[in-house]
């Protein structure tokens, strides 16, 4: 019976060692996962900062584009008014021209 107890004790010690090895491996995996999570968290922070900067720059570009659009629309209106005035002037010149052989076209 003493031999059975010794072998049971030996089996328990062996099992205990196996469990300790598994525990160490598990703790190492957990630590590695923690480091990877921290690394991913830092990357995420960098990406979020970059996204905020890009959104800000995009907003500035949109505002600048709207300013350009307004300026171009004002220029187009002004040129249309000038063209209309020039056409009116040409029509009045043609209708009051003493020489009907000289005709200004537009």
């Amino acid at each position: 019976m003493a031999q059975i107890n010794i072998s049971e004790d030996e089996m328990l010690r062996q099992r205990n060692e196996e469990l300790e090895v598994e525990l160490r491996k598990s703790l190492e995996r957990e630590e590695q996962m923690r480091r990877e999570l921290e690394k991913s968290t830092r990357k995420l922070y960098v990406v979020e900062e970059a996204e905020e900067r890009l959104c800000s720059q995009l907003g500035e570009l949109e505002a600048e584009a709207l300013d350009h659009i307004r300026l171009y629309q004002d220029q187009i209106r002004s040129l249309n008014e000038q063209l209309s005035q020039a056409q009116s002037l040409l029509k009045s010149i043609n209708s009051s021209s003493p020489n009907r052989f000289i005709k200004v076209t537009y």
Side-chain angles (χ1 to χ4, degrees):
M1 179 106 180
Q3 259 191 357
I4 294 176
N5 285 343
I6 292 174
S7 68
E8 284 180 17
D9 286 346
E10 184 62 32
M11 285 175 40
L12 287 174
R13 267 191 234 108
Q14 195 174 25
R15 180 67 181 142
N16 192 19
E17 288 174 6
E18 290 171 0
L19 290 173
E20 286 176 355
V21 167
E22 287 300 316
L23 177 62
R24 278 194 298 275
K25 287 180 182 177
S26 176
L27 291 174
E28 288 171 3
R29 283 192 305 267
E30 182 182 348
E31 182 59 31
Q32 183 175 355
M33 295 291 279
R34 186 176 287 117
R35 286 191 302 266
E36 289 178 18
L37 178 61
E38 288 173 0
K39 186 178 177 182
S40 295
T41 301
R42 287 191 299 272
K43 284 182 179 180
L44 178 62
Y45 176 77
V46 169
V47 167
E48 287 175 344
E49 289 291 316
E51 180 187 21
E52 287 180 21
R53 285 192 304 271
L54 287 173
C55 286
S56 174
Q57 291 172 352
L58 180 60
E60 291 171 5
L61 287 173
E62 287 174 344
E64 188 177 328
L66 284 175
D67 288 342
H68 284 291
I69 289 169
R70 288 184 187 113
L71 286 173
Y72 290 139
Q73 286 175 337
D74 290 343
Q75 287 177 339
I76 289 171
R77 273 190 226 102
S78 175
L79 290 171
N80 277 334
E81 289 173 11
Q82 291 175 23
L83 180 60
S84 178
Q85 290 172 357
Q87 287 174 339
S88 294
L89 180 62
L90 287 174
K91 282 181 186 178
S92 69
I93 289 172
N94 282 335
S95 64
S96 65
S97 173
N99 187 347
R100 51 189 166 138
F101 298 109
I102 298 174
K103 191 141 189 141
V104 180
T105 59
Y106 47 93

